[in-house]
């Protein structure tokens, strides 16, 4: 086991508490293995997720979701579809654009498409699903929102409220996932 070396290390050789902490755990593991993960430890080490990190990951997903939602509603409206068909299209496009934004960043790091696609699925599926449940739930339950047209201010107001609610509720989900080395923590392994 790789971490057994830490168990036999002479902790008395460190002159300060900071020296000891810099060696114990993932940072010590990085030093021992040539710093391969240097600069990324805070992103994917379980238990090290910050609220700002979770908020950035959520905002990333929310951007893709919002693009997909609005585009789906525009297309559904233009084609004269009913609410159910339009909502289904909007959800499909929200997932598509959510994954596409993540894929773009991973592919730019030189990762092959198959691996990048698997990473995007692992990173974004739960986050996008939670957002879509909240977002579409708010729109479906808000009186008059489902029947509002794109030209009605109520449509855009409710959409903004729904996306804001989705963001607020999904940030803790992403924090939990990143803290366990899942979700967007996986994506950060490919950022240099």
């Amino acid at each position: 086991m790789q971490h057994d070396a830490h168990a036999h290390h002479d902790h008395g050789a460190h002159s300060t508490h900071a020296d000891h902490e810099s060696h114990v755990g993932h940072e010590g593991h990085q030093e021992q293995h040539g710093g391969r993960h240097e600069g990324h430890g805070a992103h994917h080490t379980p238990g090290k997720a910050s609220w700002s990190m979770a908020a950035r990951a959520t905002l990333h997903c929310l951007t893709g979701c919002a693009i997909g939602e609005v585009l789906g509603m525009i297309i559904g409206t233009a084609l004269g579809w009913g609410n159910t068909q339009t909502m289904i299209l909007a959800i499909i496009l929200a997932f598509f654009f959510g994954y596409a934004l993540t894929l773009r960043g991973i592919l730019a790091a030189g990762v092959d498409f198959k691996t990048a696609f698997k990473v995007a699925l692992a990173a974004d599926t739960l986050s996008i699903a939670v957002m879509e449940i909240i977002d579409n739930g708010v729109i479906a339950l808000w009186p008059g929102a489902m029947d509002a047209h794109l030209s009605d201010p109520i449509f855009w107001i409710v959409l903004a409220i729904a996306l804001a609610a989705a963001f607020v509720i999904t940030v803790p989900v992403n924090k939990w996932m990143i803290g366990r080395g899942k979700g967007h923590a996986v994506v950060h392994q490919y950022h240099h």
Side-chain angles (χ1 to χ4, degrees):
M1 182 136 191
Q2 293 176 350
H3 293 286
D4 287 345
H6 296 302
H8 301 294
H9 179 74
D10 179 15
H11 294 284
H14 296 293
S15 59
T16 67
H17 182 69
D19 287 339
H20 174 75
E21 284 195 355
S22 72
H23 182 76
V24 174
H26 190 69
E27 291 75 20
H29 179 74
Q30 287 175 4
E31 290 168 6
Q32 186 181 26
H33 295 284
R36 281 193 308 248
H37 304 288
E38 192 171 303
H40 297 290
H43 294 299
H44 67 275
T45 302
K48 300 234 180 186
S50 69
W51 284 105
S52 65
M53 188 186 309
R56 283 191 305 273
T58 305
L59 188 58
H60 177 90
C61 286
L62 186 68
T63 302
C65 286
I67 292 168
E69 288 276 333
V70 172
L71 188 59
M73 290 176 195
I74 290 171
I75 292 169
T77 301
L79 295 175
W81 289 0
N83 290 337
T84 303
Q85 295 93 334
T86 300
M87 187 177 278
I88 290 169
L89 177 63
I91 291 168
I92 291 168
L93 291 176
F95 274 92
F96 174 80
F97 282 100
Y99 291 140
L101 288 179
T102 298
L103 270 173
R104 186 185 70 166
I106 300 168
L107 290 171
V111 177
D112 66 278
F113 183 81
K114 185 178 177 182
T115 302
F117 187 70
K118 287 179 182 177
V119 170
L121 288 178
D124 291 337
T125 301
L126 181 60
S127 181
I128 295 171
V130 170
M131 276 188 205
E132 287 304 297
I133 290 168
I134 302 304
D135 174 32
N136 287 288
V138 169
I139 292 170
L141 296 175
W142 196 285
M146 290 294 287
D147 297 320
H149 296 281
L150 296 174
S151 58
D152 296 335
I154 189 73
F155 169 82
W156 296 102
I157 291 168
V158 173
L159 180 61
I161 291 168
L163 291 172
F167 176 81
V168 168
I169 292 169
T170 308
V171 168
V173 173
N174 279 326
K175 184 177 187 306
W176 178 80
M177 288 176 60
I178 294 168
R180 279 146 189 80
K182 309 231 182 269
H184 269 260
V186 178
V187 174
H188 289 292
Q189 295 177 46
Y190 296 95
H191 289 207
H192 300 290

